[in-house]
């Protein structure tokens, strides 16, 4: 017999039992999934306390059967035992400071040394000219684009008995001269004029290369008087040993003063040279100083209304003075005994050939050809 206030357990316990059974089944299912997910290939259960030992053998290369997408990353790691030293980027980290070490760029290979041109190449390239200095050293200097080059065609030159003439379009376009000084003694200027000489360049004076004294050439007055009487055109030159601009102006004033009685048509030349086998006042000067001295003389001559001209050989004009400062502003009287000058720049007069015997002249003298008729200037 059941008392009135007793509950009916059979009617109300069944749902509770089902609930407990369902929850328990769900928990068992979760445990099964977890267990399966931690199980190795081959059926071995995953032991959380088991330590995976690294194989000391080299890491095998990945083959096609382990291509990405066919096996999970964890399996690839376990099967192939990747190590940190197999990954290059680990070397970029400093073990002590945990900082990224900057990669040092590999130095670029040094460029191959440029080819040094040979003597033959420099001589034939048309861009260089060889200069010999007073100490005997030689140098190939580059031809400047700032200085006008000569434009003469030397195939148009004709030489007869040592007398040179230049022709253009079949017409003679040159004038023949001789330079003279006291060393030539008493000159027969009439004989020179009869032989076809058009002008003479007379040494007016000089400065002593040791004493520094300025003197008049002993034969100057006699030479200029007789030359003009013979109908020859006259130019003059002064042998300078000035060591500064003040002395150069002094020399120019000396020339101007001694030309007062005469009218000349050809240029006044500045001639500065080293003394062969001896020391001179100008030996210690540098190129800039000699250039300034020459400019001082020539500009003073020019202001007086005469035509100035710079005298010298190739080595003097290109090595003893500064060409770009002198050769662009003044005419040049070139001294070159070679058959064709290798001096590259423009020149208006050319003292050619070696000194020789000339009719009417004592000793030896040199011819000069002028490509300009200075009487028309």
């Amino acid at each position: 017999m059941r008392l009135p206030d007793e509950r009916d357990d059979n009617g109300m316990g069944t749902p509770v039992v089902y609930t407990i059974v369902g929850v328990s089944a769900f928990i068992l299912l979760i445990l099964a999934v977890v267990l399966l997910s931690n199980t190795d290939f081959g059926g071995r259960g995953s032991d959380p306390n088991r330590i995976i030992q690294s194989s000391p053998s080299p890491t095998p290369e990945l083959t096609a059967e382990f291509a990405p997408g066919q096996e999970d990353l964890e399996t690839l790691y376990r099967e192939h035992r990747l190590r940190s030293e197999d990954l290059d980027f680990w070397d970029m980290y400093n073990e002590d400071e945990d900082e990224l070490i900057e990669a040092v760029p590999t130095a670029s290979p040094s460029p191959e040394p440029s080819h040094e041109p040979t003597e033959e190449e420099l001589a034939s390239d048309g861009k260089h000219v060889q200069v010999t200095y007073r100490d005997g050293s030689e140098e190939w200097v580059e031809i400047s684009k700032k200085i006008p080059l000569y434009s003469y065609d030397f195939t148009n030159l004709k030489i007869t008995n040592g007398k040179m003439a230049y022709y253009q379009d079949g017409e003679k376009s040159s004038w023949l001269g001789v330079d003279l000084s006291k060393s030539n003694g008493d000159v027969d200027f009439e004989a020179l004029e009869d032989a076809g000489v058009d002008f003479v360049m007379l040494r007016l004076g000089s400065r002593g290369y040791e004493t520094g004294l300025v003197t008049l050439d002993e034969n100057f007055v006699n030479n200029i008087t007789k030359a003009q009487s013979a109908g020859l055109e006259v130019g003059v030159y002064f042998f300078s040993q000035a060591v500064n601009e003040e002395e150069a102006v002094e020399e120019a004033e000396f020339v101007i003063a001694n030309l007062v009685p005469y009218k000349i048509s050809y240029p006044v030349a500045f001639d500065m040279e080293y003394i062969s086998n001896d020391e001179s006042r100008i030996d210690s000067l540098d190129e800039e100083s000699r250039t300034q001295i020459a400019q001082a003389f020539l500009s003073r001559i020019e202001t007086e209304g005469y035509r100035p001209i710079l005298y010298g050989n190739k080595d003097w004009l290109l090595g003893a003075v500064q060409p770009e400062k002198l050769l662009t502003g003044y005419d040049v009287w070139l001294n070159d005994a070679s058959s064709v000058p290798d001096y590259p720049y423009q020149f208006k007069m050319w003292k050619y050939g070696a000194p020789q015997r000339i009719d009417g002249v004592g000793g030896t003298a040199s011819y000069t050809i002028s490509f300009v008729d200075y009487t028309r200037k």
Side-chain angles (χ1 to χ4, degrees):
M1 177 181 289
R2 192 173 49 171
L3 295 176
D5 56 346
E6 288 181 344
R7 293 181 301 173
D8 186 358
D9 291 335
N10 293 330
M12 298 180 60
T14 301
V16 173
V17 172
Y18 288 159
T19 300
I20 293 173
V21 172
V23 170
S24 298
F26 180 72
I27 291 173
L28 290 174
L29 180 60
I30 292 175
L31 290 175
V33 171
V34 171
L35 181 61
L36 289 174
S37 65
N38 291 321
T39 302
D40 289 333
F41 282 95
R44 293 179 298 164
S46 176
D47 184 357
N49 296 319
R50 180 169 55 88
I51 299 175
I52 300 175
Q53 299 295 327
S54 298
S55 172
S57 59
T59 302
E61 296 183 357
L62 292 177
T63 58
E65 64 176 302
F66 292 106
Q70 295 181 10
E71 299 292 342
D72 58 61
L73 181 61
E74 184 177 359
T75 300
L76 289 174
Y77 172 75
R78 290 172 178 163
E79 292 299 319
H80 297 281
R81 302 295 190 266
L82 293 177
R83 295 171 296 171
S84 63
E85 55 265 32
D86 297 326
L87 305 174
D88 292 340
F89 66 84
W90 289 108
D91 294 335
M92 298 173 63
Y93 291 88
N94 187 312
E95 293 181 356
D96 297 329
E97 299 179 1
D98 250 0
E99 294 180 356
L100 184 65
I101 301 175
E102 293 185 5
V104 179
T106 304
S108 301
S110 300
E112 292 294 328
S114 58
H115 167 67
E116 286 294 331
T118 64
E119 292 279 325
E120 293 75 12
E121 290 172 338
L122 290 170
S124 61
D125 67 3
K127 298 179 181 179
H128 295 83
V129 59
Q130 189 177 56
V131 175
T132 302
Y133 297 102
R134 189 167 189 261
D135 61 4
S137 62
E138 296 179 340
E139 181 183 9
W140 285 94
V141 298
E142 188 173 0
I143 297 173
S144 173
K145 296 180 180 179
K146 298 180 180 180
I147 306 173
L149 305 179
Y150 74 74
S151 57
Y152 306 121
D153 179 359
F154 291 111
T155 63
N156 292 334
L157 287 173
K158 294 182 180 181
I159 300 178
T160 305
N161 297 326
K163 301 168 188 173
M164 183 180 289
Y166 186 75
Y167 291 83
Q168 287 183 304
D169 300 325
E171 296 286 333
K172 182 182 174 182
S173 58
S174 65
W175 292 262
L176 186 65
V178 179
D179 69 278
L180 304 165
S181 68
K182 68 176 183 179
S183 63
N184 298 113
D186 190 20
V187 178
D188 185 347
F189 290 94
E190 298 284 349
L192 286 179
E193 200 276 337
D194 290 341
V197 173
D198 301 299
F199 67 95
V200 289
M201 296 293 292
L202 306 176
R203 188 172 78 165
L204 184 145
S206 62
R207 184 187 289 274
Y209 69 88
E210 290 181 325
T211 64
L213 294 177
V214 175
T215 58
L216 189 70
D217 186 282
E218 295 176 8
N219 283 19
F220 173 68
V221 173
N222 185 54
N223 283 343
I224 191 170
T225 301
K226 289 184 175 181
Q228 291 185 330
S229 296
L232 295 171
E233 304 296 337
V234 174
V236 300
Y237 65 95
F238 186 90
F239 180 77
S240 173
Q241 285 286 294
V243 294
N244 53 49
E245 294 179 61
E246 290 74 19
E247 287 190 353
V249 172
E250 178 190 4
E251 293 172 353
E253 296 290 356
F254 181 83
V255 170
I256 292 167
N258 282 280
L259 284 178
V260 169
Y262 313 103
K263 183 178 181 180
I264 65 172
S265 54
Y266 267 65
V268 174
F270 176 79
D271 173 16
M272 179 182 277
E273 303 176 47
Y274 295 120
I275 304 302
S276 299
N277 303 318
D278 204 350
E279 296 180 353
S280 67
R281 302 177 84 233
I282 66 169
D283 289 351
S284 61
L285 299 177
D286 58 19
E287 290 83 355
E288 183 177 6
S289 297
R290 296 189 196 98
T291 299
Q292 293 171 347
I293 290 168
Q295 287 176 322
F297 180 97
L298 295 167
S299 61
R300 179 66 187 96
I301 291 296
E302 190 171 29
T303 58
E304 201 64 28
Y306 296 104
R307 185 64 179 261
I309 194 168
L310 178 65
Y311 173 88
N313 61 20
K314 176 195 66 175
D315 295 328
W316 179 270
L317 296 172
L318 302 185
V321 295
Q322 296 171 316
E324 292 185 356
K325 291 186 177 180
L326 276 179
L327 304 184
T328 56
Y330 299 101
D331 290 355
V332 169
W333 178 12
L334 178 65
N335 176 15
D336 193 322
S338 57
S339 57
V340 175
D342 60 352
Y343 174 79
Y345 304 120
Q346 182 64 279
F347 54 94
K348 299 298 178 66
M349 295 168 57
W350 175 20
K351 181 177 179 179
Y352 66 90
Q356 58 185 295
R357 292 286 181 179
I358 297 177
D359 291 342
V361 178
T364 59
S366 297
Y367 283 117
T368 288
I369 184 173
S370 175
F371 298 94
V372 175
D373 182 4
Y374 282 100
T375 64
R376 296 178 178 272
K377 287 188 167 290

